[in-house]
Structure formats: C-alpha cells, structure tokens
Amino acid sequence: MSCKIGYFGEFGGRFVPETLFAPLLELEEAYREVASDEGFQKELKELLKSFVGRPTPLFYAESLSQMAGCRVYLKREDLCHTGSHKINNTLGQVLLTKRLDKRRVIAETGAGQHGVATATAAALLGLECEVYMGEEDMRRQAINVVRMELLGARVIPVISGSRTLKDAINEALRDWVANVDTTHYVIGSVVGPHPFPTMVRDFQRVIGDEAKEQLLKVEGRLPTHCIACVGGGSNAMGLFTAFRDDPCRFIGVEAKGAETLSGNGEIGVLHGFKSYFLQDEWGQITPTDAIAAGLDYPGVGPEHAFFKETLRCTYRHVSPKEAVEAFRTLAKAEGIIPALESAHAVAGLLAERWNEQDLVLVCLSGRGDKDLSEIIEKGVLQ
Ligand SMILES: *Cc1c(COP(=O)(O)O)cnc(C)c1O
C-alpha cells in the first residue's frame, strides 16, 4: 500500500487545476488544526446534540430480525434534523468555514438533500449560501428548491451537460476556483480532492462511534456485519470507520443503474480524485439511472475503492424492485418509512442468508417523506 498523503492505496489524490492547489493545502491545514482543537470539537458536539438531535437512537428491529433470521439493529439517521445523515457533515464544514474567516459557502446538490442540509447549517451559523443544482433536478425536486430558498440560500440552475448532479459538481468547482478567497465549497460525500474524503468521513464517523457504544451496551458484543447504502459513500464510511479494526464484515449496497463497485466501474479520474467510475471506452462518464436520487452518482469515494481492492468490504447492488419492496416492508413491519436510498441497505440485508448468531447493524441513512411524490409519479407502489 502506498502511504502518499491523501491516498487510500492508489485511490484519492488531488487532481485539480493549479489555482485550487494552494486553497486545498490551506483547507487541509485548517482541518488538521480543528480536528484536534477542543473548542471546535466541543462547539460541534453541542450543535449535533441541541440542533441535530444526536445521539440518534439505535433500534432493535424485531420483525425485520425475524424475516432476516438474525438480530438486526437500525441506526436511526432518519431522525436527524433535516431527515438524513447529511447534516453531520454540513454542520462540520460550515463551522470550519467560519474558522477560515470565509463568509460564503457553495454546494452542489442532486435531489436537494445536501443542498438543504448546507443551507440549514449556513442559516444557523449566519453565512451566505449558494447551491448549484441541475435544471432537470430542480424540476424533479421543486419542493427542495423552495426549502433552500426559505432557508436563505440562492439556488443556481445548471444548464450544462445532462443538467444533473455531475454537472452541478463541475459548476461548483468552477465557482470555487474563481472565488476561493471568500468561499468554501461544502462537498456532500466522501468524494472530491484530498482532504475532502477524509474530512467528510471524519464528520460522519459519529454514526459508527455512537452505534458501537449503543450496541455494546445492549448486546455486550460487536456486530458481526455492518450494512449501508453507497452513493458517494459517506453514510457507509461514517458507520464502517468505527469498526474498521474489528472482526466485523462490511457490506456496501449500490443501486442498480449506478453500480460502480459491484458492476462495470473502472478506474479513472473525475471531480479531482482517482477512483472507480462508470465510463465508456474513451473514459467519458456514462449516464446513471438509480431509483434513489442520492445513489445516482457515477463514481464512489476513493476509500471505498480501496476497501473493494483490499476486500475489506463486499459491494453488491439491488434492483429498483427489491428496493421498493424493502421500502414497503420496513414501513409496514416496523413503522418506519425509510428514504429510498436507505431502503437499498434494507434490501441488501434481506437478500443475504444469515445465521442465527449474526448481529447486523444497518445504517438507516434517511427518512422517506421526500420520496413519496416521486414514488406516486413513477407508480412503483402498484
Ligand atoms: C445523499 C444520501 C445518501 C447517499 O450518500 P452517501 O454519501 O453515499 O451516504 C444516502 N441516503 C440518504 C438518505 C441520502 O440523502
């Protein structure tokens, strides 16, 4: 394994225009400082408690356990303020922006979840916020556009390329290059150039740290398996990191239509980092078509690519049908309507064969209210 800074094996790195190199070094330095700064960590912890509602519960899912044939616990990130784990990261990065003495944050968003989480953190901490969103996504997710505007953010339509997430990231990177003196770019997952994959993972590891403590308390033992859905991979890394050095197996569940690690992905470079991407024979990114918007990214965080190569984690994908079935199952059997993204993790659980002694921790990354109109429109519940 290579031990170059900012790499996980051969993946990661910092493939950016020269103008961004110095700002990334500055960010790395600032992040290193706050990572060990007691004042910063205390302030973040307090906000996670009083504003986000942490610690989130760990829930023993009895009916689901019976169906799966093992003991299943759900880490309830769906109960975070704004409805998913994304706020753990945006709050950390927006707080860091204040430390950098910058007054403006920008973000990219696909379905709008990360945009809403960034706008929320910016409203709370009094920073200007602009969010790049593909025109096509703005149409599909009109309610999240209203949410962001209510929170004081400006949503900028992206009309290049396929007018979706990948293009929104390109535009946000362009803005950042031009305005880096005043602006921090809040990336929404464990992707992008170093130090983003490391920093976002660290802001999300609260998921696994809490779950480990909670599970040890009720079960007196570690999980045998951890399962999470993988879009860019931040909720999965957030859960896995706490158990990295334990004898615990990891399963990452991708969506059919965006199966980068469990399907046809190949090694390449996009958005400033080296990883696996869905691409054609010329290295051009191919369109994705995942049923859950949050999983609809043609690449995956570099540490996941490393986990795949070193066999630390097994990656699989589930079909839209399996995901929707799991969505219904969890609603009916446990009284929890999950995000369609999180339903992929539950579908991954239900697709495996388990032993009675298995103790499985599933990350329920978000709640499903946001998906209902899409589900009605697509008619997938019939
Ligand atoms: C954005 C999102 C995801 C996917 O992002 P990761 O970085 O892979 O975690 C998963 N679940 C929910 C609810 C989301 O909003």
Side-chain angles (χ1 to χ4, degrees):
M1 180 189 142
S2 138
C3 48
K4 279 190 291 183
I5 289 174
Y7 278 83
F8 307 93
E10 64 169 303
F11 303 106
R14 195 178 264 162
F15 297 82
V16 294
E18 226 169 319
T19 38
L20 275 187
F21 211 81
L24 284 169
L25 285 178
E26 182 200 30
L27 179 63
E28 184 184 353
E29 184 54 37
Y31 175 62
R32 192 175 309 127
E33 270 169 35
V34 301
S36 59
D37 181 298
E38 248 173 65
F40 180 92
Q41 294 300 333
K42 199 164 158 230
E43 192 175 356
L44 180 57
K45 200 168 175 193
E46 184 51 39
L47 288 175
L48 288 173
K49 184 171 167 216
S50 59
F51 189 69
V52 176
R54 306 207 71 91
T56 57
L58 183 74
F59 176 67
Y60 174 61
E62 195 171 341
S63 304
L64 197 61
S65 296
Q66 268 169 14
M67 284 176 217
C70 59
R71 291 180 77 73
V72 180
Y73 281 83
L74 304 176
K75 180 59 175 163
R76 299 288 309 273
E77 294 301 294
D78 59 312
L79 294 176
C80 289
H81 178 46
T82 69
S84 81
H85 68 292
K86 293 226 164 65
I87 188 90
N88 302 326
N89 167 46
T90 60
L91 216 45
Q93 287 200 48
V94 173
L95 208 54
L96 177 60
T97 307
K98 290 193 86 160
R99 283 289 178 108
L100 289 166
D101 263 332
K102 294 183 177 180
R103 56 179 163 71
R104 175 176 177 258
V105 289
I106 54 171
E108 83 293 341
T109 200
Q113 295 304 106
H114 174 59
V116 169
T118 306
T120 301
L124 175 73
L125 296 168
L127 296 188
E128 249 179 81
C129 176
E130 298 195 301
V131 179
Y132 286 90
M133 188 170 190
E135 203 177 41
E136 179 58 21
D137 288 332
M138 284 180 74
R139 189 189 58 74
R140 288 192 291 200
Q141 301 286 342
I143 290 181
N144 273 339
V145 175
V146 177
R147 270 195 195 112
M148 286 183 266
E149 286 171 352
L150 275 172
L151 292 160
R154 195 161 78 89
V155 182
I156 305 174
V158 173
I159 54 169
S160 56
S162 54
R163 307 182 177 202
T164 58
L165 177 62
K166 155 178 81 66
D167 315 288
I169 298 180
N170 288 334
E171 291 300 328
L173 281 168
R174 264 177 220 134
D175 180 316
W176 201 33
V177 171
N179 300 298
V180 74
D181 290 343
T182 59
T183 301
H184 173 65
Y185 175 18
V186 181
I187 290 188
S189 190
V190 284
V191 300
H194 181 66
F196 282 103
T198 302
M199 182 170 74
V200 176
R201 175 199 69 198
D202 291 353
F203 284 137
Q204 291 293 0
R205 73 168 287 167
V206 64
I207 301 172
D209 287 341
E210 279 178 15
K212 189 172 192 174
E213 198 184 319
Q214 290 166 317
L215 194 66
L216 281 173
K217 208 166 189 181
V218 288
E219 288 280 335
R221 61 179 177 132
L222 291 168
T224 56
H225 298 77
C226 289
I227 305 183
C229 65
V230 175
S234 68
N235 85 90
M237 267 308 155
L239 180 68
F240 295 168
T241 299
F243 303 97
R244 232 196 123 111
D245 301 323
D246 297 324
C248 167
R249 300 234 173 113
F250 300 155
I251 301 174
V253 186
E254 299 185 307
K256 177 127 186 55
E259 63 274 45
T260 314
L261 290 178
S262 59
N264 299 327
E266 285 186 54
I267 295 173
V269 172
L270 180 74
H271 297 146
F273 67 106
K274 183 176 175 190
S275 186
Y276 277 83
F277 296 95
L278 294 169
Q279 48 193 310
D280 64 18
E281 70 263 43
W282 307 103
Q284 292 299 304
I285 297 303
T286 52
T288 50
D289 181 26
I291 185 177
L295 304 182
D296 212 10
Y297 180 66
V300 68
E303 198 168 9
H304 282 289
F306 178 63
F307 274 18
K308 174 189 159 82
E309 297 260 308
T310 53
L311 307 178
R312 181 64 189 89
C313 178
T314 307
Y315 296 88
R316 59 168 304 151
H317 54 270
V318 298
S319 69
K321 186 161 171 278
E322 289 172 284
V324 171
E325 258 168 38
F327 178 86
R328 301 185 78 132
T329 299
L330 198 67
K332 205 158 172 194
E334 301 290 355
I336 299 169
I337 300 177
L340 269 178
E341 291 83 359
S342 324
H344 284 71
V346 177
L349 166 85
L350 293 172
E352 301 275 333
R353 296 189 122 258
W354 300 101
N355 292 318
E356 226 175 293
Q357 315 86 288
D358 287 333
L359 181 60
V360 185
L361 186 53
V362 180
C363 188
L364 206 71
S365 54
R367 65 169 184 239
D369 311 52
K370 69 179 177 62
D371 296 314
L372 293 181
S373 56
E374 177 93 353
I375 280 176
I376 294 166
E377 198 178 302
K378 287 201 171 134
V380 286
L381 283 185
Q382 268 86 50

